[in-house]
Amino acid sequence: MTRPYLTPLQTSRTEAAPGLRIGGDWTLPHYSHLEPQVQAQRERMQDEEPVDLRELAALDTAGAALLLELLGEWRLRQVAGQAELGEQRRALLLAVADAMHGNREAPAPAPPSVLREVLGHIGEAVETTWRHGQELLGFIGLTLASMLAIALRPARWRLTSLAAHLEQCGLNAVPIVALLTFLVGAVVAFLGATILADFGASIYTVNLVAYSFLREFGVLLTAILMAGRTASAFTAQIGSMKANEEIDAIRTLGLNPVELLVLPRVFAMLIALPILTFIAMLSGMFGGALVCALSLDIPPPLYLSILQDGELLRHLLVGLLKAPVFAFLIALIGCLEGFKVSGSAQSVGAHTTSAVVQSIFVVILLDALAALFLMEMGW
């Protein structure tokens, strides 16, 4: 049979030779002419009907895709085994069949269960928290080992770096810590006086302000401020060095990054946070004294005499003993998140945010546990 010029798709349905004979140029220029014929022929085709591709002339990927649509993947792979096709056309048909097999639409998934999604998110959060706890414990051990390694070697102490970080996280933080605790002390005194006045006990506002700042507010507010101010700075500094491959250069020079970058920051926080906590206590009580003098007619001499009658030393020691623990954890979390930075500005920002959130969470959690323990012990 001679192939017509304008009918690349040829079929022959006779009783002597039933089947489908395909010939002509199955290429992209003939696509618009072939597609309606393929659709019409596909509706009339039978599953076991033989297909003859011996008269097939030119073939490209567009024509192979139409053959796949006409015959289906299984029959196309079967027909591609005909010896008359040649290796190149057989490889083209099989490649198109493989490619189209991966692009077929998957069945729509079942609607997710709300309970399953909630439990999945809870599981992910627990797993993430557990992993962060393990990393923090490991980093604590590494830092303590480095501290012991240089404890008896004064030549390896980084005093210049310690002084610089002490100025950054200690001296420069005094104004914001003093101002914030002064305002909070004034607010606590005003609210306490408003409530206690209904019971005729306005004089106890002095004890309320003193005890709250000596035991809780002084160290807690200072630690939260340092978590947001200093832990983020530590993460950003070390993270930028990690992104710029400066930490790799430090290791190449034979230096220990923990000893060089972490220990000066940890020691600076251990020195600065207790001092800032004491300043916060004084500022908070001064704010309370100002409110008492202006609103409750309690002059400063009477305010001080009431303070002397209480057990201020015990409350002061409780607050100050929390400060080194908070300082150690805040510095370590900030440095650890800095070492986790991958190498992009987005990673630096993400880990900086994570350092602040983790530091504040750890500080509040430990403070709550310490408050419960001390209350049970009667301290």
Side-chain angles (χ1 to χ4, degrees):
M1 179 183 290
T2 305
R3 183 180 70 243
Y5 296 103
L6 300 178
T7 56
L9 177 62
Q10 298 177 8
T11 62
S12 175
R13 296 181 180 275
T14 64
E15 296 181 0
L20 180 64
R21 186 188 309 155
I22 299 176
D25 296 334
W26 285 66
T27 56
L28 184 60
H30 299 90
Y31 190 90
S32 60
H33 181 68
L34 285 168
E35 186 176 15
Q37 299 185 55
V38 167
Q39 297 295 338
Q41 190 66 43
R42 184 180 180 184
E43 298 176 357
R44 300 193 300 268
M45 280 193 64
Q46 301 178 5
D47 294 337
E48 301 298 331
E49 188 174 14
V51 178
D52 186 4
L53 300 180
R54 286 178 298 179
E55 297 184 7
L56 186 64
L59 179 68
D60 61 5
T61 54
L66 283 174
L67 286 176
L68 177 64
E69 183 179 355
L70 173 65
L71 303 177
E73 182 182 350
W74 180 81
R75 294 191 67 188
L76 181 66
R77 292 181 183 275
Q78 186 180 24
V79 171
Q82 296 180 4
E84 296 81 0
L85 280 178
E87 286 296 330
Q88 292 183 352
R89 292 179 180 176
R90 182 180 298 109
L92 177 60
L93 290 175
L94 294 177
V96 171
D98 293 337
M100 298 300 291
H101 177 76
N103 292 333
R104 293 191 174 180
E105 295 184 359
S113 171
V114 176
L115 179 60
R116 182 180 299 176
E117 294 227 349
V118 171
L119 293 178
H121 286 302
I122 293 175
E124 290 179 1
V126 171
E127 184 180 3
T128 301
T129 304
W130 177 257
R131 186 176 68 253
H132 287 170
Q134 287 182 319
E135 293 173 349
L136 181 59
L137 287 177
F139 196 65
I140 288 174
L142 181 61
T143 304
L144 292 177
S146 300
M147 286 182 178
L148 294 176
I150 69 169
L152 301 179
R153 300 178 182 178
R156 296 173 62 178
W157 296 355
R158 306 285 176 176
L159 297 180
T160 303
S161 179
L162 174 64
H165 291 299
L166 192 58
E167 179 184 6
Q168 174 192 357
C169 65
L171 185 62
N172 294 342
V174 170
I176 184 64
V177 171
L179 178 61
L180 179 66
T181 51
F182 171 81
L183 295 176
V184 173
V187 171
V188 170
F190 181 77
L191 293 178
T194 302
I195 300 300
L196 294 174
D198 297 336
F199 303 94
S202 300
I203 193 69
Y204 290 104
T205 304
V206 178
N207 303 86
L208 173 65
V209 174
Y211 294 167
S212 61
F213 269 88
L214 291 177
R215 291 184 70 95
E216 297 294 336
F217 285 167
V219 63
L220 187 60
L221 291 175
T222 305
I224 291 175
L225 277 175
M226 298 302 285
R229 181 182 183 276
T230 306
S232 60
F234 289 171
T235 303
Q237 292 166 1
I238 297 178
S240 299
M241 296 179 67
K242 181 75 177 297
N244 294 330
E245 300 182 354
E246 296 178 33
I247 295 180
D248 295 334
I250 291 174
R251 291 194 178 97
T252 303
L253 294 174
L255 301 174
N256 186 358
V258 175
E259 180 182 331
L260 189 66
L261 302 176
V262 177
L263 295 187
R265 290 173 167 84
V266 172
F267 287 137
M269 280 289 290
L270 288 173
I271 297 172
L273 191 57
I275 298 174
L276 291 174
T277 298
F278 185 72
I279 294 174
M281 294 174 179
L282 295 181
S283 299
M285 289 190 293
F286 180 72
L290 184 61
V291 171
C292 290
L294 297 178
S295 300
L296 304 179
D297 295 328
I298 300 177
L302 179 59
Y303 187 91
L304 293 177
S305 65
I306 296 173
L307 290 179
Q308 291 175 359
D309 294 337
E311 298 179 357
L312 295 184
L313 181 60
R314 177 164 59 90
H315 302 303
L316 176 66
L317 292 178
V318 168
L320 289 179
L321 288 177
K322 297 178 186 178
V325 179
F326 292 166
F328 185 72
L329 292 175
I330 290 171
L332 283 185
I333 291 174
C335 295
L336 176 60
E337 290 299 315
F339 281 110
K340 290 181 183 178
V341 172
S342 59
S344 62
Q346 182 180 3
S347 179
V348 174
H351 285 285
T352 300
T353 304
S354 177
V356 175
V357 173
Q358 290 185 47
S359 301
I360 294 177
F361 174 77
V362 169
V363 164
I364 295 177
L365 177 62
L366 291 180
D367 186 73
L369 295 176
L372 293 175
F373 175 76
L374 295 174
M375 182 179 65
E376 291 296 329
M377 297 299 295
W379 296 346

